[in-house]
Amino acid sequence: MANERLRSALVVRGVTEQELAEHCGVDAKTVERWILRNREPYRRHRQAAAAKLQIDEDYLWPDAKSETRRLDEADAEIVHVYPHRSSVPPESWVQFAERAASDIGILVHAGVHLAQNPRWHRALTEQARAGVRVRMLLGDPESPEIARRGEEEELGEGVAYKVREVIKLYRPLHGTPGIEFRVHRSTLHNSLYRFDDEMLVNTQIYGVSAPLTPVLHLRRVHGARLVSTYQESFEKVWSGAVPLPLPRQAP
């Protein structure tokens, strides 16, 4: 059976078999065997091909890795585990944003700890001016998901109130080129803070407020899937969210 995933990836990326062969340091006949006979390349060649085609190695050769290696790669993406969000050094949030070169993505219900920080606002504004795409996903304060979260945390309307206050705090950034705001109605399993290939994942625990729950600091490792799984989750929520209306200007 041919490797149709590899064949399709070459077509989509506009890469010829010869070009892939040169990049991987093999001859074109070898690449042809990878496709037509579904031959499994050596690990270094799989990694080189995946990098050239900008597609995960697991997708192109799903049976190539042992379960042990998959677990090792997942472990390698975990940089640090904080016991709760408040133990993340306050300056780290801004530093993560300042290091981003292409993409910042925030998925929260409210994220008050960031919205109240003037340095965070400046970092987002400066990064957007530098060409970094900034995407902010906030909870819809009128949604049943926000109401349910308030009940779970025994805060009543407290969560919805926090979201509305955060929307007000971000008003100066609304309409800033490069910064996009959307509201979502998803069931939030984790708050995600994405900075290129680094990510802070604030886990959600039933009945426990976000500042008291653990945070995973992750950094993407080529060929691993932990970070990319969270990134895919962010993209799904983003695609289903709606733009936050711009605030009305005073007459």
Side-chain angles (χ1 to χ4, degrees):
M1 183 181 294
N3 188 332
E4 295 298 340
R5 291 184 176 184
L6 178 56
R7 191 202 305 271
S8 176
L10 288 167
V11 173
V12 170
R13 299 301 186 193
V15 176
T16 66
E17 293 181 13
Q18 181 63 44
E19 289 170 338
L20 184 64
E22 292 174 358
H23 180 80
C24 296
V26 299
D27 59 51
K29 286 291 184 181
T30 298
V31 173
E32 184 179 304
R33 286 192 289 271
W34 294 350
I35 298 171
L36 298 181
R37 301 182 187 178
N38 201 10
R39 290 283 181 84
E40 184 181 301
Y42 290 121
R43 179 182 177 184
R44 67 180 184 277
H45 295 150
R46 293 198 306 268
Q47 292 177 334
K52 175 69 173 178
L53 298 173
Q54 298 180 336
I55 294 177
D56 283 335
E57 177 188 340
D58 281 355
Y59 175 79
L60 296 173
W61 294 283
D63 300 322
K65 296 180 186 176
S66 67
E67 184 61 23
T68 299
R69 187 177 159 214
R70 292 178 194 275
L71 293 174
D72 288 344
E73 287 177 343
D75 286 344
E77 290 195 305
I78 300 173
V79 178
H80 191 74
V81 178
Y82 296 94
H84 40 80
R85 195 183 71 195
S86 55
S87 40
V88 179
E91 66 275 10
S92 293
W93 302 94
V94 174
Q95 291 170 354
F96 276 112
E98 291 174 339
R99 286 201 302 265
S102 60
D103 187 78
I104 296 173
I106 309 299
L107 168 58
V108 293
H109 276 152
V112 178
H113 66 295
L114 295 181
Q116 290 179 332
N117 187 344
R119 290 183 59 210
W120 173 255
H121 286 239
R122 288 196 296 272
L124 294 186
T125 302
E126 292 171 2
Q127 288 292 69
R129 288 173 179 166
V132 175
R133 185 185 186 187
V134 179
R135 292 182 289 174
M136 306 289 294
L137 276 164
L138 305 175
D140 183 344
E142 310 303 327
S143 68
E145 289 77 14
I146 290 293
R148 186 182 307 115
R149 185 65 178 174
E151 294 172 1
E152 292 170 355
E153 295 185 11
E154 299 181 352
L155 294 175
E157 289 292 318
V159 176
Y161 172 80
K162 287 194 291 186
V163 176
R164 294 188 185 99
E165 288 302 303
V166 164
I167 291 174
K168 291 178 184 177
L169 289 170
Y170 278 130
R171 278 180 180 172
L173 301 186
H174 292 190
T176 300
I179 301 180
E180 305 169 78
F181 285 90
R182 291 187 183 182
V183 291
H184 66 91
R185 291 193 165 200
S186 62
T187 300
L188 196 61
H189 300 289
N190 300 280
S191 297
L192 303 180
Y193 305 86
R194 174 182 179 181
F195 309 95
D196 293 342
D197 286 338
E198 286 193 275
M199 184 172 283
L200 294 173
V201 179
N202 191 182
T203 62
Q204 299 292 323
I205 299 176
Y206 183 87
V208 180
S209 182
L212 303 178
T213 58
V215 172
L216 308 179
H217 175 196
L218 308 177
R219 183 180 294 119
R220 183 180 174 88
V221 171
H222 180 72
R225 289 288 302 162
L226 188 56
V227 170
S228 60
T229 297
Y230 282 116
Q231 290 176 338
E232 289 164 8
S233 174
F234 178 91
E235 296 298 340
K236 287 180 181 178
V237 178
W238 179 259
S239 65
V242 298
L244 180 66
L246 293 175
R248 295 180 179 178
Q249 300 294 327

